[in-house]
Amino acid sequence: MRFTSLRLRLVLVFGLVALTAAVTASGIAYWLNREAVLTRAQDAVLRDFEQEMRSRAGALPGEPTQDELQRAADQMSDSSQHFSVLLTSTAPDGRVLTAGPDMLDTFTLDDVPRPLREAVNREQKVTAANPAPYHLYWQRTVDENDTPYLVAGAKVAGGPTGYMLKSLEPEAKDLNSLAWSLGIATALALVGSALLAQAAATTVLRPVHRLGIAARRLGEGKLDTRLQVSGTDELAELSRTFNRTAAALEQRVAEMSARDEASRRFVADMSHELRTPLTAITAVTEVLEEELDAETGGIDPMIEPAVRLVVSETRRLGDLVENLMEVTRFDAGTARLVLDDVDIADQITACVDARAWLDAVELDAERGVTARLDPRRLDVILANLIGNALKHGGSPVRVSVRVEEAPDAALPPHESGERAEHVADADADGGDDDGDTAGTARKVLVVRVRDHGPGIPEEVLPHVFDRFYKASASRPRSEGSGLGLSIALENAHIHGGDIAAANSPEGGAVFTLRLPLDASSVAEEAVAERQAGGKQGAKQRQRSGR
């Protein structure tokens, strides 16, 4: 699972909540049980010791002998609590008598903390609230082996002083066992919470995953994508919302496609309808143009400007109709590539010569550079780029042709894929290829058209390829149709290439055309896409019929 995945975050949150709850509950349970165990054991020992002091030590004479003191200590040690007892008294000669276990080194006065001894031997004033001059005091200690002990002391008024040592090791072992049990329970709770979190995450994320897949399919254009909905929770409602949105989107796209298709059909029909009268008008204008050029002076000088205007506008109208028909073919997806091996230098020369631009264009191209392209569409691209440069930038226009290496990111998608397949095959074969094929797959044809005009304003650069775009709103009328650069770009795209517009640092505008040296794979992909689109359209129509 990724660190940022929702599944991992749910597991972590469940785990942290379970761990916090388990640790808190275990800590409280341990503390309560610890206090209960220690208090119960302590109270029983202190109560037994206090009774023994009253019955055994209290029965001794005021100045007992060593034997009497030892006998009382032994009797006190034989109690049910099995604690060690140490009795001290002062002999008539001032000596301190001590009686305790058989091996005195197991419990001596040094084992009793000094503050405890001072508190035990401190005599207090007898009052109504304090009927006894001496009291029982106790303290928990730990020896050098980390063994816990309970030490207590009491003094009989006018009699000996007694100290008690009780090991709390059994209670400590019980508490350690309890701690281990609580730790194991916490670990089991953590594992159980992780499993529950995984199950909950799966329950929550499975519909989300399906929704993501459906959204991707919808984004790919499969507008008939729907989700199976079951349940009444928020995720089920989200799925229903997705289905309603997808249905509305499918309907809206269908309506827009229908309107777009109607618009394209209208433009195409109008273009075809205009062609018939335009043909007749063109024939008449050609006759008028011949009369204008004739030396006999067949046209009245008074109407000659009007005739010339009619001739130029008829040509402009003819170009506009042709461009509109070309645009409708691109929009309808019916544009086709007719590939042939083209000598680029010869193609540019023929394009310039056919339009009488030889004196205004400088060609920088090596002979022998060939590419498999559509000659007619390449001619359209070159004519639009060079004509635009002559119209807006002025002569001379420099056209340079180069074959350059292109990184995979700059290649058209099909060439990038071919490059990857070739490299994979070369690696599988042990890398013995000479690299020529890989080099060819990475080469692209680059044609740069540069003028020497004022350049393109920065605010206009992003829109130079837009249809009918005009840089100045105050000049809505121009000599061109506003479709030339757009058609050139569409022709580049259909080859799997592109056109970029920029300003040269030396002045003037530069249009850079990039095309693959071989557009065969692009043509094959286009055919496959049209076939797939035809099948999809048939399915859509079949669903609509039902």
Side-chain angles (χ1 to χ4, degrees):
M1 293 183 291
R2 300 189 309 274
F3 183 74
T4 56
S5 67
L6 182 58
R7 182 185 299 274
L8 180 59
R9 281 182 284 175
L10 284 174
V11 172
L12 289 178
V13 168
F14 269 74
L16 288 176
V17 171
L19 182 63
T20 303
V23 169
T24 302
S26 298
I28 294 175
Y30 178 79
W31 181 78
L32 292 176
N33 281 276
R34 179 177 181 276
E35 290 301 315
V37 170
L38 293 179
T39 300
R40 184 170 58 251
Q42 173 182 293
D43 291 346
V45 172
L46 294 178
R47 185 169 53 251
D48 195 16
F49 174 68
E50 187 176 15
Q51 292 177 355
E52 291 294 332
M53 284 293 296
R54 289 175 181 173
S55 60
R56 305 293 183 180
L60 293 175
E63 296 179 352
T65 62
Q66 178 68 39
D67 293 339
E68 292 174 340
L69 204 62
Q70 183 64 44
R71 187 180 306 109
D74 292 340
Q75 291 175 351
M76 293 174 66
S77 299
D78 291 338
S79 68
S80 60
Q81 295 297 327
H82 303 290
F83 46 70
S84 299
V85 177
L86 183 67
L87 295 178
T88 63
S89 180
T90 304
D93 55 2
R95 290 182 300 106
V96 177
L97 302 178
T98 302
D102 295 337
M103 300 179 63
L104 292 180
D105 57 347
T106 58
F107 182 34
T108 64
L109 286 176
D110 295 335
D111 298 327
V112 181
R114 181 179 295 277
L116 181 62
R117 283 182 285 169
E118 293 176 354
V120 169
N121 292 297
R122 185 183 303 116
E123 184 176 2
Q124 300 180 14
K125 184 178 181 180
V126 177
T127 60
N130 183 33
Y134 299 100
H135 295 275
L136 174 67
Y137 295 92
W138 57 271
Q139 183 177 344
R140 296 174 189 166
T141 61
V142 179
D143 64 2
E144 61 275 6
N145 297 323
D146 292 333
T147 303
Y149 286 93
L150 176 65
V151 182
K155 183 176 178 62
V156 177
T161 302
Y163 298 98
M164 179 273 299
L165 179 69
K166 169 64 175 178
S167 174
L168 298 178
E169 186 174 3
E171 287 76 10
K173 290 181 178 180
D174 293 340
L175 292 176
N176 288 336
S177 299
L178 177 62
W180 274 103
S181 300
L182 294 176
I184 294 173
T186 301
L188 293 176
L190 184 60
V191 173
S193 67
L195 296 177
L196 289 176
Q198 182 73 8
T202 301
T203 303
V204 172
L205 295 181
R206 184 180 291 113
V208 175
H209 179 65
R210 293 175 180 171
L211 183 61
I213 294 176
R216 283 195 296 271
R217 290 172 59 87
L218 199 64
E220 293 170 356
K222 301 175 181 177
L223 301 181
D224 58 339
T225 302
R226 299 294 185 271
L227 291 172
Q228 292 184 354
V229 183
S230 61
T232 58
D233 57 3
E234 289 80 0
L235 291 174
E237 184 60 29
L238 179 61
S239 299
R240 293 189 182 93
T241 302
F242 175 85
N243 289 340
R244 289 194 294 267
T245 303
L249 180 62
E250 184 179 17
Q251 182 179 0
R252 182 65 58 85
V253 169
E255 294 175 355
M256 293 178 64
S257 298
R259 287 197 296 267
D260 189 45
E261 180 64 26
S263 300
R264 286 199 302 266
R265 191 180 301 111
F266 172 77
V267 174
D269 292 343
M270 287 300 298
S271 300
H272 283 287
E273 291 296 329
L274 286 173
R275 259 188 164 185
T276 301
L278 188 59
T279 302
I281 295 173
T282 302
V284 174
T285 57
E286 288 177 354
V287 173
L288 292 175
E289 190 174 11
E290 291 176 358
E291 292 293 332
L292 288 173
D293 296 336
E295 297 180 356
T296 59
I299 300 296
D300 187 346
M302 296 296 294
I303 65 171
E304 181 178 343
V307 172
R308 292 190 181 277
L309 179 61
V310 169
V311 171
S312 63
E313 290 301 310
T314 301
R315 287 177 178 172
R316 183 171 176 269
L317 181 59
D319 293 339
L320 178 59
V321 170
E322 292 296 330
N323 288 337
L324 285 175
M325 294 186 66
E326 187 71 9
V327 167
T328 56
R329 281 192 288 268
F330 282 121
D331 290 343
T334 59
R336 303 289 187 270
L337 284 177
V338 180
L339 300 180
D340 195 2
D341 293 330
V342 179
D343 187 296
I344 303 301
D346 291 343
Q347 179 76 20
I348 297 175
T349 302
C351 173
V352 173
D353 186 27
R355 293 160 180 85
W357 293 338
L358 284 175
D359 296 335
V361 176
E362 297 177 355
L363 178 59
D364 178 14
E366 295 182 1
R367 296 290 177 179
V369 177
T370 61
R372 187 161 182 78
L373 304 169
D374 187 326
R376 186 186 68 83
R377 296 189 182 280
L378 180 59
D379 181 77
V380 172
I381 297 174
L382 295 173
N384 278 292
L385 294 182
I386 298 174
N388 182 77
L390 290 171
K391 184 186 304 181
H392 300 286
S395 60
V397 172
R398 183 177 177 83
V399 180
S400 62
V401 179
R402 297 288 184 271
V403 177
E404 299 180 357
E405 296 284 342
D408 289 346
L411 288 174
H414 69 281
E415 290 207 7
S416 179
E418 289 177 356
R419 165 68 175 163
E421 292 176 2
H422 173 79
V423 172
D425 293 341
D427 292 341
D429 294 339
D432 295 332
D433 292 349
D434 55 8
D436 292 342
T437 306
T440 302
R442 294 197 57 181
K443 291 182 182 297
V444 293
L445 175 68
V446 180
V447 179
R448 290 184 175 88
V449 179
R450 177 193 169 195
D451 60 47
H452 292 79
I456 305 173
E458 293 297 329
E459 65 274 10
V460 177
L461 272 176
H463 306 285
V464 293
F465 296 105
D466 294 351
R467 296 176 182 177
F468 302 107
Y469 177 78
K470 297 184 184 297
S472 176
S474 62
R475 294 188 299 156
R477 179 180 176 83
S478 63
E479 296 182 2
S481 63
L483 293 173
L485 291 179
S486 174
I487 292 174
L489 183 62
E490 293 289 350
N491 278 299
H493 285 170
I494 199 175
H495 281 91
D498 197 8
I499 305 177
N503 288 316
S504 173
E506 292 81 11
V510 179
F511 285 82
T512 303
L513 168 66
R514 293 178 178 272
L515 296 176
L517 286 179
D518 188 353
S520 300
S521 56
V522 179
E524 294 173 358
E525 290 178 4
V527 171
E529 289 179 0
R530 285 194 297 270
Q531 292 176 350
K535 294 179 180 178
Q536 184 68 21
K539 292 181 180 178
Q540 292 282 358
R541 289 190 295 271
Q542 186 178 4
R543 281 195 296 269
S544 300
R546 288 199 299 268

